Amino acid sequence: MTTGLIPGEHPPDPRSTDGLPHQRHEPVGQAALPVETRSRSSVITARAAASFEPVGRSVASARSFVRDTLQGWGFGDIVDDAVVLTSELVTNAVVHAGTSADLLCLRSDDGVRIEVADRYPEREIPLQGSAVTMGSPDREGGRGLQLCAALAGHWGVDYTPTHKTVWFRLDLPERPVGTRTAGPSLPTHLLPLADTRVRVAVVQVDRTGSLTAWNEDAEELFGYSAEQVTGKPLTDLAAWPHTPGTGTGIADALRLSRWEGSYGIRGAHGRVIPVYASHLRVRDTEGEPSTVCLLVRDHERAVLQTPLRAPTTDTTGTSESQGTDPFEVFIGSPAPDDLDGLLQRTVERARDMLDGDSAFLLLATDDETELEVRASTGLPSARQRFARVPVEAGPGRYGSARMPAVHEDLTAVPGAVPLLNGTGMRSVVTVPLKVEGRLTGSLGVAAEAPGRYSNEEALRLQFAADRIALAVESARLGELERLRRGSLSFLVEASDLLAGTLDRDQTLALMAQMTVPTLATWCAVYTIADQASEPDLSYVLHEDEDLIDGIKSLLSKIPPPDPVPTPGARVWSAPAEVAHQAALRTSMRSLGLSGGPTRQVTTGIGPTLATASAVGGETVVLPLVARNRVIGMLTLGKPTDEHFRQEILELAEDLSRRAALALDNARLYSERTAISQSLQRSLLPPELPAVDGVEVEVIYRAAGEGNEVGGDFYDLFPISDGAYGFAIGDVCGTGPNAAAVTGLARHALRLLAREGLSGPTVLERLNSAILDEGARSRFLTLLYGEMRPQDDGSAELKVVCAGHPLPLRLRQDGTVEPAAEPQPLLGVIEDLELYEETVTLDPGDVLLCVTDGVTERREGSRMLGDDGLADVLTTCTGLTAGAVAARIMRAVERFASEPPSDDMAILAMRVPGLHMD
């Protein structure tokens, strides 16, 4: 079943919109007005609707729905007739017709109209003006129309191609002038007990709280003469009950326009006499305020106590009326499961119960210092939702939220109820929601006319508030528990995501994506590079991607918020103000009010107005603080007239702390990575020189994420005119430590070779330099050679292979053979005896030099090895040096499915063929 209340609506026009005539049946002999006339003359002030499934229990649910609705509207006089008629009509729909039923209740000033519609298609549409056949009273079906004719003031049937609607109207009975409420006749022994003469003490207190009047009954009740108490504060005599969590005393109660309740007066004999009091605040002809207090003994309270308007009970004798829960009488059945639904139903029922124009409900914060708007009706709820007002604010003390209060005219006490500022409401009654003496909220009903409410309405509303306070608090605690669990889950997931990346841009994107739309409608992230830098707008996100560019453009024109390191969220009003002004200017230009042609700005209206709406709500800024430094700001925004919940802001604050640390870690990582990459690039040789008559190609891969240089290295450099040095080596290990030896070896080779030393001498001195590094030294395998292109198109190479994989020579006929012999590696022993070998590359020959990362490529127990490398090289006959190196690397990568775990370097040199190239 679904229900809803829509105030201030007129009933739908029953005339058909599809061109088919509607047939109506009016009871014979009744002067019923046509439906159209009634729709215009009766103003609908409230509407309640529900749908019921085609099952038997729906009839009972429909009866409960109508009973609760009419009792909530204060129409107890017609509840019985309405329940009986509804029961018959819904039975016809869900039992006899076998379809679902739509039930609609419309309230007007002088009665109620109830409509029951079914979806039964197989019926005959009666001709207009045909006689109505009621059928026999003994038949099981068909009695609903007879009852309508007997009980309702007006009734009828409307037809459409898909629905049949039976409606009836019940008018409110006229009440004698002066009758307000009455109690039942009671036996004598049940009447309240009083003394032979009921004494009513009349006491008057001036604006300072001092007694100015004390009548004879007061003297009899409390034992003081008027001369003894005149001029003394009433608080000296009053024994005000101290309720935990309630800070309001008798002095506060005396300042209220009306108040009714119990407290005690200390008599002349020293004992406290319980009294029941009714206070009325008045002013004299000179405008001086005072409070008139009527006091009786507490057990005689019936003399003063305003009778409660008890809800009308069901006298039908059905089982449904047994043990009715006062909570359900007010809130309706079934009660909403969620807190928001319960609060919204509460304000709607409260408004209808007191015939108000609006109603609102606020929940107290944990420390009871503020009240947060959680539900309202008849007010701009989007603007007010989750807004907060202090409990002790305003000259009228919103602290009256701790006790019932009535304001007859808010214009006389501006700011007494901050929530109603600027709403046009004049009179209001508010009552507290309390659980075990602790303030948990405030419920209020307001009207546009002044003087609409009195102490009687306050007591009626307090009665209802007492019935729902515990249910509201239970639902609120349940919601709070769900929010806390959801918050913990959200923060855990956010921490995992933020810890999973060290990329600055990705961290910024994650911050925004976690915020929108979970915490806010849009967000912007500002970053601060250093203390001297201005905040930079780094990232903008909105749940509607079409609005991102507009918000980014708007924020770029606004000075960024100040980077204040104070924890917590602070409101930033600049975006909403600038957006509103821009939208206003655009709208004025579109209307031609600024003198410009309309067609020139029409295309800009949409984005400008959309942007203004997107950022027109509350905007808050949270600092991003990491390592005691503000590194940026997280800006969260809501669309027009929306506020942030305090729980959301607290969650955003937790997220901002985690995000700030992740962003700073990403910054540090980026800086260190940039430094590392810069140092590593300095270890790599510059661009390879072009060698006349020889093709040279190098492929280099360093193992490890973020490493550009490892333990493998290569070089090719000019030594003298026509001579070039080349080298390819492998330092033990990988990573930065191996790269340090790489830099030493490469630079030492260049320096020693250009001194004119021979290849063996160069390597022997390099060996000594490596050993001089001491504990930091690492052994090194190295293939070094000198190359001289010859006039006949060949190239002469002098090679020293110090513990390195042997270079392979590919001839034009496809044969592959080692081009050197193995010798001791470097960095192990001091006295080395090395020698060089001469190799001549004929036109078309290729010399391939690799590191052991190529030959030791593994897949399980298999290894590529020297033989596998030679097999691949035999397929490279006729290829250029670049193609040879690429084929070797492709073969190495395909040999195993896992990525390489060792550094790799490939150096291919080829002498072009005389007739082929």
Side-chain angles (χ1 to χ4, degrees), residues 675-840:
I675 295 172
S676 174
Q677 291 175 345
S678 177
L679 292 175
Q680 290 184 59
R681 282 191 292 270
S682 69
L683 300 178
L684 293 173
E687 186 177 352
L688 297 179
V691 181
D692 294 336
V694 179
E695 298 174 0
V696 180
E697 182 65 28
V698 174
I699 296 179
Y700 183 80
R701 297 284 190 275
E705 182 180 356
N707 291 332
E708 294 190 21
V709 178
D712 291 4
F713 68 96
Y714 67 93
D715 203 357
L716 177 65
F717 54 90
I719 297 176
S720 59
D721 293 340
Y724 295 85
F726 66 90
I728 183 169
D730 184 3
V731 178
C732 173
T734 60
N737 294 329
V741 180
T742 293
L744 169 66
R746 192 177 66 78
H747 290 98
L749 281 176
R750 287 198 172 208
L751 291 174
L752 295 173
R754 287 172 177 172
E755 290 295 324
L757 301 177
S758 64
T761 304
V762 169
L763 267 61
E764 288 168 2
R765 294 194 177 183
L766 175 60
N767 180 62
S768 299
I770 293 174
L771 292 174
D772 289 342
E773 290 293 307
R776 295 183 300 173
S777 66
R778 290 169 175 259
F779 63 82
L780 167 68
T781 66
L782 179 63
L783 172 65
Y784 173 74
E786 297 179 2
M787 175 177 58
R788 292 179 182 272
Q790 304 297 311
D791 294 338
D792 60 358
S794 63
E796 183 183 80
L797 284 69
K798 295 182 178 179
V799 181
V800 180
C801 186
H804 199 76
L806 300 179
L808 299 180
R809 176 180 180 178
L810 172 64
R811 296 183 180 274
Q812 275 193 318
D813 58 5
T815 58
V816 175
E817 60 184 9
E821 295 180 356
Q823 300 185 57
L825 51 78
L826 309 180
V828 178
I829 58 177
E830 294 184 2
D831 298 327
L832 285 180
E833 294 183 2
L834 303 175
Y835 58 92
E836 62 183 10
E837 302 172 71
T838 300
V839 179
T840 300

Side-chain angles (χ1 to χ4, degrees), residues 450-493:
R452 284 281 297 277
Y453 302 114
S454 64
N455 200 39
E456 178 186 359
E457 283 77 16
L459 293 174
R460 289 180 60 202
L461 190 60
Q462 184 66 71
F463 180 83
D466 292 341
R467 298 302 179 271
I468 66 170
L470 186 59
V472 169
E473 180 67 3
S474 177
R476 186 185 74 86
L477 293 176
E479 179 195 63
L480 187 60
E481 180 65 21
R482 289 190 296 271
L483 282 175
R484 287 174 177 170
R485 290 183 179 180
S487 299
L488 290 175
S489 176
F490 172 79
L491 291 174
V492 168
E493 183 179 357

Side-chain angles (χ1 to χ4, degrees), residues 320-507:
E320 301 172 38
S321 62
Q322 303 301 320
T324 303
D325 185 355
F327 167 76
E328 291 191 353
V329 170
F330 176 72
I331 205 62
S333 178
D337 295 331
D338 62 307
L339 177 62
D340 288 337
L342 176 61
L343 299 183
Q344 192 62 35
R345 179 83 66 84
T346 298
V347 296
E348 290 169 352
R349 291 296 173 89
R351 177 203 60 194
D352 295 336
M353 183 179 72
L354 298 187
D355 196 20
D357 297 312
S358 64
F360 53 89
L361 193 148
L362 302 89
L363 294 183
T365 55
D366 292 339
D367 57 4
E368 299 179 21
T369 60
E370 289 184 305
L371 296 169
E372 184 180 61
V373 181
R374 290 301 303 270
S376 65
T377 181
L379 296 174
S381 57
R383 174 171 67 88
Q384 303 290 352
R385 186 164 168 79
F386 299 124
R388 289 196 167 198
V389 293
V391 171
E392 309 293 345
R397 279 178 57 90
Y398 207 97
S400 61
R402 298 186 183 276
M403 45 191 315
V406 177
H407 293 277
E408 294 185 346
D409 193 348
L410 289 175
T411 59
V413 191
V417 184
L419 177 64
L420 300 180
N421 291 344
T423 62
M425 300 296 159
R426 295 285 298 276
S427 55
V428 61
V429 52
T430 61
V431 298
L433 299 177
K434 290 185 177 181
V435 175
E436 297 180 352
R438 182 174 60 86
L439 179 69
T440 60
S442 177
L443 176 63
V445 178
E448 296 179 353
R452 284 281 297 277
Y453 302 114
S454 64
N455 200 39
E456 178 186 359
E457 283 77 16
L459 293 174
R460 289 180 60 202
L461 190 60
Q462 184 66 71
F463 180 83
D466 292 341
R467 298 302 179 271
I468 66 170
L470 186 59
V472 169
E473 180 67 3
S474 177
R476 186 185 74 86
L477 293 176
E479 179 195 63
L480 187 60
E481 180 65 21
R482 289 190 296 271
L483 282 175
R484 287 174 177 170
R485 290 183 179 180
S487 299
L488 290 175
S489 176
F490 172 79
L491 291 174
V492 168
E493 183 179 357
S495 299
D496 289 343
L497 290 173
L498 291 171
T501 179
L502 288 172
D503 181 81
R504 175 183 177 275
D505 293 337
Q506 190 173 0
T507 302

Side-chain angles (χ1 to χ4, degrees), residues 132-151:
V132 179
T133 302
M134 292 293 185
S136 171
D138 297 329
R139 292 179 54 192
E140 181 181 358
R143 292 196 300 264
L145 300 183
Q146 290 180 310
L147 288 173
C148 287
L151 300 179

Side-chain angles (χ1 to χ4, degrees), residues 225-245:
S225 65
E227 292 78 10
Q228 288 178 295
V229 297
T230 300
K232 291 185 177 181
L234 178 61
T235 53
D236 288 353
L237 303 179
W240 190 262
H242 295 285
T243 304

